[in-house]
Amino acid sequence: MITSTTDTGSVKTHTVVIVGGGAAGISVASSIHKRDSNIDIAIIEPAARHHYQPGWTMVGGGVFRPEVTSKPMSDVMPGFVSWYKQPVTAIDQDNNQVTMGDGSALAYKALVLAPGLELNWGGIEGLEDALGSNGVTSNYREGMASYTWDMVQNLKKGRALFSQPPMPIKCAGAPQKAMYLSADYWLRHGVLNDLDIQLHNAGAVLFGVADYVPALEAYIEKYDIDLNFQSTLVAVNGPSKTAVFRSTDGEGNSQDREVSFDMLHAVPPQRAPKLIRESALANEGGWLDLEDDTLRHKTFANIFGLGDVSGTGNAKTAAAVRKQAPVVAENLVATLRNQPLEAAYLGYGSCPLTVENGKIVLAEFGYGGVLQPSFPKWINDGTKATRAAWWLKAKQLPTLYWHGMLKGHEWLAKPAPRSAKH
């Protein structure tokens, strides 16, 4: 039975404390419990609802209804954990304690950090005020993907801008997924020729893994999309329907350019939560400083991490969590038993690139962009767009998320031995 405890004045102790009840926190709790059901686990998570965020792209493309991407947190929180419905305000890694919003503390033998990342809406001047009106939208904002879909259906002519901020961000393909699904709708409804579609990408390449670029370039050509690299969205004015992009050349010189729009799908820059980035647990970039294979903290041997907060060089996707959770579970249990750490994470991430309604380029890769296909070839045919991959994304992955991953079912997620890294 789930318990929610808020006692003050005394320090409660749990064997394992997990910060965060998103995909990473709940999945790793279930994987730990699967390995040793006697381990006392607490999850600290203040949110009342749990979101299946990979579904927001599909809502913005008119494929999913918004309600299928969210459930009450109480429906997905495991019954075997103690659930503290509060934020974490401080981590005392030297004394093995975390402090919560009401001032009470929890002590732990092992700590798992999975608080996700922070969407820095304030990092783009005027964006937060502009969202939800005058054609300014973002599938990254809770509840706003429906507005994206409304804009897509109503836009018949003019200019549609899609922005992609500097890496790292959660689901690096999502800014482009929104663009491809929109362009496909406009093509099917005969208005594409009356639209000027522009992608403004802060990076220098279309996608970070070169093997998938040709397939994406074919769709860029099909939809006649104007590509703008090293072009970063820095300001938005909703009432005047203008956006300012900062372009940088090879010598590092930059200049700002104002572009008018009828629709703007904006993606904010992203960073680790303040709790992590301003602590001794962070690396130079402000992300959680983890060993890339064991997912153990580089300095504190009883602290592990996974999910979007991680400073490891993998793509920040739910699919990465699917592979990370068993690794953290095995290595954490080994730590509690004073055994060597044998499980390794090889950087797996997956990005189902929705290039049209009915086809997906299923990008699966690990550290260094090494391809790591895990699905059968009939689903993932190398680097091509397939209908089978769409079937997987649209019909199977939501069920696998709610009823598989969150419950500790580790389908196609067996940890690699550490020897595989070398």
Side-chain angles (χ1 to χ4, degrees):
M1 180 176 181
I2 297 172
T3 60
S4 176
T5 312
T6 57
D7 287 1
T8 58
S10 62
V11 177
K12 288 186 170 291
T13 299
H14 296 279
T15 306
V16 176
V17 170
I18 299 171
V19 176
I26 290 181
S27 295
V28 77
S30 296
S31 287
I32 293 168
H33 184 73
K34 179 179 181 179
R35 284 160 176 79
D36 187 342
S37 60
N38 293 316
I39 293 177
D40 172 26
I41 304 172
I43 293 180
I44 310 174
E45 173 55 63
R49 296 196 69 83
H50 184 104
H51 300 285
Y52 175 60
Q53 293 185 39
W56 291 355
T57 290
M58 302 293 264
V59 174
V63 182
F64 286 177
R65 300 186 316 277
E67 55 267 26
V68 306
T69 67
S70 175
K71 289 187 179 184
M73 188 66 75
S74 56
D75 285 4
V76 299
M77 188 64 65
F80 54 80
V81 307
S82 297
W83 175 22
Y84 295 83
K85 302 178 187 179
Q86 295 190 60
V88 173
T89 56
I91 300 169
D92 183 353
Q93 60 275 354
D94 296 314
N95 293 299
N96 297 329
Q97 287 189 6
V98 297
T99 303
M100 297 183 291
D102 67 354
S104 63
L106 291 183
Y108 59 81
K109 291 185 179 178
L111 178 66
V112 179
L113 295 171
L117 54 68
E118 179 180 292
L119 300 169
N120 183 19
W121 298 102
I124 298 172
E125 182 184 345
L127 175 57
E128 194 149 25
D129 290 338
L131 284 167
S133 61
N134 298 306
V136 182
T137 189
S138 180
N139 291 343
Y140 277 76
R141 182 81 158 196
E142 179 185 343
M144 192 152 288
S146 295
Y147 182 60
T148 302
W149 178 229
D150 289 342
M151 289 302 307
V152 170
Q153 294 175 92
N154 292 325
L155 194 63
K156 310 296 183 186
K157 62 180 179 179
R159 179 177 293 141
L161 305 178
F162 295 82
S163 78
Q164 183 165 320
M167 294 293 132
I169 63 171
K170 66 167 68 186
C171 192
Q176 291 181 47
K177 294 180 194 181
M179 177 180 68
Y180 298 131
L181 283 179
S182 300
D184 179 63
Y185 179 88
W186 294 326
L187 174 64
R188 293 169 189 261
H189 288 78
V191 298
L192 185 65
N193 290 339
D194 297 318
L195 288 164
D196 171 21
I197 305 174
Q198 298 181 12
L199 173 64
H200 289 263
N201 187 342
V205 294
L206 188 59
F207 193 71
V209 182
D211 298 74
Y212 298 103
V213 170
L216 298 179
E217 285 179 335
Y219 280 92
I220 293 291
E221 183 177 350
K222 176 181 179 179
Y223 300 135
D224 193 25
I225 295 169
D226 178 14
L227 288 181
N228 297 268
F229 292 117
Q230 295 181 296
S231 181
T232 304
L233 179 64
V234 294
V236 177
N237 186 318
S240 71
K241 290 195 170 187
T242 56
V244 177
F245 294 92
R246 183 161 296 155
S247 300
T248 306
D249 63 22
E251 283 73 48
N253 302 311
S254 64
Q255 64 176 13
D256 290 355
R257 180 165 60 104
E258 187 175 272
V259 183
S260 63
F261 62 81
D262 297 280
M263 172 184 171
L264 168 64
H265 182 272
V267 181
Q270 296 163 36
R271 60 192 181 187
K274 183 177 180 180
L275 178 75
I276 301 299
R277 71 173 187 267
E278 295 184 3
S279 76
L281 299 169
N283 62 17
E284 290 183 358
W287 302 91
L288 188 60
D289 197 18
L290 301 175
E291 296 174 349
D292 63 1
D293 56 349
T294 67
L295 302 179
R296 179 173 62 182
H297 196 273
K298 289 182 178 179
T299 304
F300 302 96
N302 65 336
I303 296 179
F304 292 82
L306 73 163
D308 292 346
V309 74
S310 302
T312 48
N314 55 277
K316 297 181 184 298
T317 67
V321 169
R322 180 169 62 84
K323 289 276 195 173
Q324 291 170 342
V327 172
V328 171
E330 289 208 2
N331 287 336
L332 183 147
V333 171
T335 296
L336 293 175
R337 295 173 179 172
N338 294 314
Q339 296 171 346
L341 277 55
E342 301 290 354
Y345 170 62
L346 304 181
Y348 176 86
S350 174
C351 190
L353 293 151
T354 50
V355 289
E356 63 179 275
N357 190 322
K359 281 191 177 182
I360 276 175
V361 176
L362 183 55
E364 293 185 280
F365 52 92
Y367 290 135
V370 176
L371 301 192
Q372 290 186 10
S374 68
F375 292 99
K377 190 173 177 61
W378 66 273
I379 291 177
N380 186 8
D381 186 14
T383 56
K384 303 173 185 176
T386 67
R387 295 194 181 279
W390 176 272
W391 169 83
L392 178 72
K393 165 83 171 172
K395 303 296 185 183
Q396 301 302 312
L397 289 185
T399 299
L400 290 171
Y401 179 85
W402 294 117
H403 302 291
M405 193 171 108
L406 294 185
K407 296 184 183 299
H409 300 302
E410 298 166 3
W411 181 59
L412 296 178
K414 181 180 173 65
R418 289 191 75 187
S419 58
K421 181 189 174 189
H422 304 293

